[in-house]
Amino acid sequence: MALEESHVRRAAHLARIAVSDAQATGFVDDLNHILNMVDQLQGLDTDGVTPLSHPLDATQRLRVDEVTETDQREKFQRCAPAVENGLYLVPRVVE
Amino acid sequence: MHDKTLSELVTSLAGGELSSRELTTHYLKRIQHFDAQLNSFISVTAEQALVAADAADRARAKGEAGPLAGIPLALKDIFCTQGVKTSCGSRMLDNFVAPYDATVVERLNAAGTVSLGKTNMDEFAMGSSNESSYYGAVKNPWNFSAVPGGSSGGSAAAVAAGLVPAAMGTDTGGSIRQPAAFCGITGLKPTYGRVSRYGIIAYASSLDQAGPMARSAEDCAHLLGAIAGHDLRDSTSVARGVPDYLEALDAPLSGLKIGLPREYFGDGLDADVEAAIRSAVSVYESLGATVREVSLPHTHYAIPAYYVIAPAEASSNLSRFDGVRFGHRCKNPQDLMDLYKRSRDEGFGDEVKRRILIGTHTLSEGFFDAYYLKAQKVRRLIRQDFLDAFEEVDVLMGPASPTPAFDLGAKKDPVSMYLQDIYTIAVNLAGIPGISVPAGFVGGRPVGLQILGTHFAEAQLLNVAHQFQQATDWHRRRPALAEENA
């Protein structure tokens, strides 16, 4: 199914990426080219095939629900752009 | 000094012929002298390197040094390194100094290796040419007009040029093997789960795997032994013992059964590359191996399946780079949505945006079954092809890439770039290990022989590659850099 500019704009909104008009046009062409290539998959019969999400068919292991990490707040906040009183500062975006 | 393999340097350090400080200083000078031409490093950490080299020398003097103590190497800029910029080749992380070490880095540090810095790479490991880095393209040391391959192209170029004896890379669809082939070095992608992914900035979590890039298979065996093994901090890491990879290197190859997938020798393969690969295979026959043709019937579907699965995982993994939790933050946002959207627009390059958009689209309502679920089913068929083939033969061989390194700027549209990984991508979908070894030249540009094995067959792959390197000298060739006096 051919992708239209509205699909690209929807995906860009969902992905939280600003896209200019010129970029959107370019992405429509690129993404259609890629999806045309991907559409080869539709010609293959996969009825009855179980999807493979992990190449070793492994399942996610669980661990005991207990605290194993120590508090490293100061260390981790050293690479933040702005902190105050142990809190991360971000730009005010809500009035 | 820089003509020696890592294994030879291990012997020289152990024998006291040279110190780690001498070795480290030598390579730092070469980086300073030559890297302006290559652009293979994003960060050079000379001060820390000399401190680590001195520590290795002191440990050796006290008789406490491990086998890799004092060996210089470099790390692809995708590995988190405490106190050092970890950019992942992106403007998004241009200001990110990681507060911790990746497990691979921790283990290399524990082995006593000396990191000289962080190597250039395609942005977020997305690319087959190393042209998508925010820090500019890397040049192939064999020909400055050519790409080094991607996405671990900085690591490959640095090793090939003798700026460092070895480097770490990651491979999501061929990103160790293809640049290794293009630059004439040896690169190993281990089995998925063999090496911890903790602290490696994730691109596609079910495909990414770290591995060594060096001059020889023996060098890769040294390094894999240091980094492999279970890690509780990576839930996809496999709890399985690590064999002695060096011990297996000298096993004879008589009786080895080699399979040549017919799909790897069809349309699109450069005739001269094919001739070089077939010549390499004949070396194996002379060493006592037998060769037969096999089939991997779903090979044709590997690239389409990959370009659904990898972007889908990338769209999720890269959501953390939003200007708040991680990454570049735009100036003067109007509201929260504006902050997210502009930060991500400014921080990501076009290839990353393309893949996030494709991934977001294929995972969105109404498209998930047709794309993502379908691709995961095809993935199982691709893996089964390999498992069936390994019922008949011990290893598979073929080209790592259909052509030698192409020229910078030669691949204009994304799909033609994606097709460069036609022989490497299926390996990641199946999770099996693969290695590329130098096997000749076409037009002065290196050609890589790819050898594949079943899950956890790294010891066998290293043995098979090492025996080839005992019989040939392709891995000993090095590009002649201008003013070769550093």
Side-chain angles (χ1 to χ4, degrees), chain B residues 233-245:
Chain B
R233 294 175 298 186
D234 171 7
S235 64
T236 60
S237 154
V238 175
R240 185 177 171 126
V242 178
D244 183 339
Y245 295 111

Side-chain angles (χ1 to χ4, degrees), chain B residues 320-390:
Chain B
R320 72 194 65 170
F321 304 109
D322 58 8
V324 177
R325 287 173 293 172
F326 289 98
H328 168 82
R329 181 178 293 167
C330 71
K331 294 212 182 330
N332 306 317
Q334 301 303 303
D335 54 32
L336 192 58
M337 191 62 81
D338 185 50
L339 168 66
Y340 289 151
K341 286 188 170 184
R342 275 204 293 126
S343 295
R344 286 163 67 77
D345 177 39
E346 293 167 9
F348 291 137
D350 279 351
E351 184 56 29
V352 173
K353 287 178 191 166
R354 259 194 291 273
R355 295 195 196 195
I356 290 174
L357 292 176
I358 279 283
T360 305
H361 176 69
T362 57
L363 288 177
S364 64
E365 189 183 1
F367 299 98
F368 178 85
D369 284 4
Y371 288 116
Y372 188 73
L373 209 58
K374 181 80 178 180
Q376 294 286 48
K377 290 180 176 185
V378 174
R379 182 178 191 177
R380 184 173 292 278
L381 297 176
I382 289 167
R383 186 184 71 155
Q384 193 58 46
D385 283 354
F386 283 112
L387 297 181
D388 292 345
F390 290 125

Side-chain angles (χ1 to χ4, degrees), chain A residues 30 42 44 50 52 55 75, chain B residues 99 354 370 374 376 380 383:
Chain A
D30 286 348
Q42 305 310 326
L44 186 61
T50 309
L52 179 70
K75 179 181 168 191
Chain B
R354 259 194 291 273
K374 181 80 178 180
Q376 294 286 48
R380 184 173 292 278
R383 186 184 71 155

Side-chain angles (χ1 to χ4, degrees), chain A:
Chain A
M1 189 181 108
L3 210 65
E4 295 170 5
E5 193 173 315
S6 60
H7 292 109
V8 170
R9 291 203 172 281
R10 177 170 175 261
H13 173 68
L14 291 172
R16 305 295 188 253
I17 297 177
V19 174
S20 68
D21 290 347
Q23 278 179 316
T25 308
F27 281 136
V28 169
D29 292 343
D30 286 348
L31 268 51
N32 268 320
H33 200 174
I34 296 166
L35 288 178
N36 284 341
M37 181 265 289
V38 162
D39 277 342
Q40 292 172 57
L41 296 176
Q42 305 310 326
L44 186 61
D45 180 6
T46 53
D47 280 355
V49 178
T50 309
L52 179 70
S53 58
H54 186 294
L56 301 175
D57 265 335
T59 51
Q60 195 83 342
R61 64 170 182 268
L62 302 175
R63 66 168 173 80
V64 180
D65 185 16
E66 60 187 14
V67 176
T68 56
E69 298 288 336
T70 52
D71 177 14
Q72 300 179 70
R73 177 187 292 227
E74 275 185 34
K75 179 181 168 191
F76 293 143
Q77 289 199 330
R78 253 177 252 143
C79 65
V83 293
E84 191 177 291
N85 298 329
L87 303 173
Y88 292 96
L89 293 186
V90 295
R92 177 183 289 278
V93 292
V94 179
E95 293 302 329

Side-chain angles (χ1 to χ4, degrees), chain B residues 206-434:
Chain B
S206 78
L207 304 165
D208 299 338
Q209 183 60 197
M213 305 175 79
R215 301 282 296 280
S216 70
E218 187 180 11
D219 293 359
C220 289
H222 274 285
L223 293 164
L224 183 63
I227 62 172
H230 188 219
D231 180 7
L232 284 171
R233 294 175 298 186
D234 171 7
S235 64
T236 60
S237 154
V238 175
R240 185 177 171 126
V242 178
D244 183 339
Y245 295 111
L246 291 167
E247 199 173 53
L249 290 177
D250 291 324
L253 297 187
S254 55
L256 181 79
K257 288 182 280 184
I258 297 171
L260 302 185
R262 76 172 65 100
E263 293 81 4
Y264 286 22
F265 291 88
D267 290 345
L269 175 59
D270 179 282
D272 293 329
V273 171
E274 177 172 359
I277 297 303
R278 291 200 184 274
S279 173
V281 172
S282 71
V283 171
Y284 281 101
E285 288 180 296
S286 72
L287 294 173
T290 57
V291 178
R292 58 180 291 189
E293 188 178 87
V294 296
S295 179
L296 301 170
H298 297 96
T299 296
H300 182 59
Y301 297 101
I303 289 182
Y306 177 91
Y307 279 100
V308 173
I309 294 167
E313 294 186 9
S315 69
S316 172
N317 277 326
L318 272 61
S319 65
R320 72 194 65 170
F321 304 109
D322 58 8
V324 177
R325 287 173 293 172
F326 289 98
H328 168 82
R329 181 178 293 167
C330 71
K331 294 212 182 330
N332 306 317
Q334 301 303 303
D335 54 32
L336 192 58
M337 191 62 81
D338 185 50
L339 168 66
Y340 289 151
K341 286 188 170 184
R342 275 204 293 126
S343 295
R344 286 163 67 77
D345 177 39
E346 293 167 9
F348 291 137
D350 279 351
E351 184 56 29
V352 173
K353 287 178 191 166
R354 259 194 291 273
R355 295 195 196 195
I356 290 174
L357 292 176
I358 279 283
T360 305
H361 176 69
T362 57
L363 288 177
S364 64
E365 189 183 1
F367 299 98
F368 178 85
D369 284 4
Y371 288 116
Y372 188 73
L373 209 58
K374 181 80 178 180
Q376 294 286 48
K377 290 180 176 185
V378 174
R379 182 178 191 177
R380 184 173 292 278
L381 297 176
I382 289 167
R383 186 184 71 155
Q384 193 58 46
D385 283 354
F386 283 112
L387 297 181
D388 292 345
F390 290 125
E391 292 287 315
E392 297 178 41
V393 296
D394 299 311
V395 294
L396 299 170
M397 288 189 187
S401 173
T403 65
F406 47 89
D407 282 348
L408 287 152
K411 305 286 178 195
K412 301 287 186 207
D413 78 281
V415 172
S416 73
M417 183 74 85
Y418 299 168
L419 293 173
Q420 284 303 308
D421 294 333
I422 190 160
Y423 304 131
T424 52
I425 265 180
V427 171
N428 299 75
L429 292 168
I432 61 172

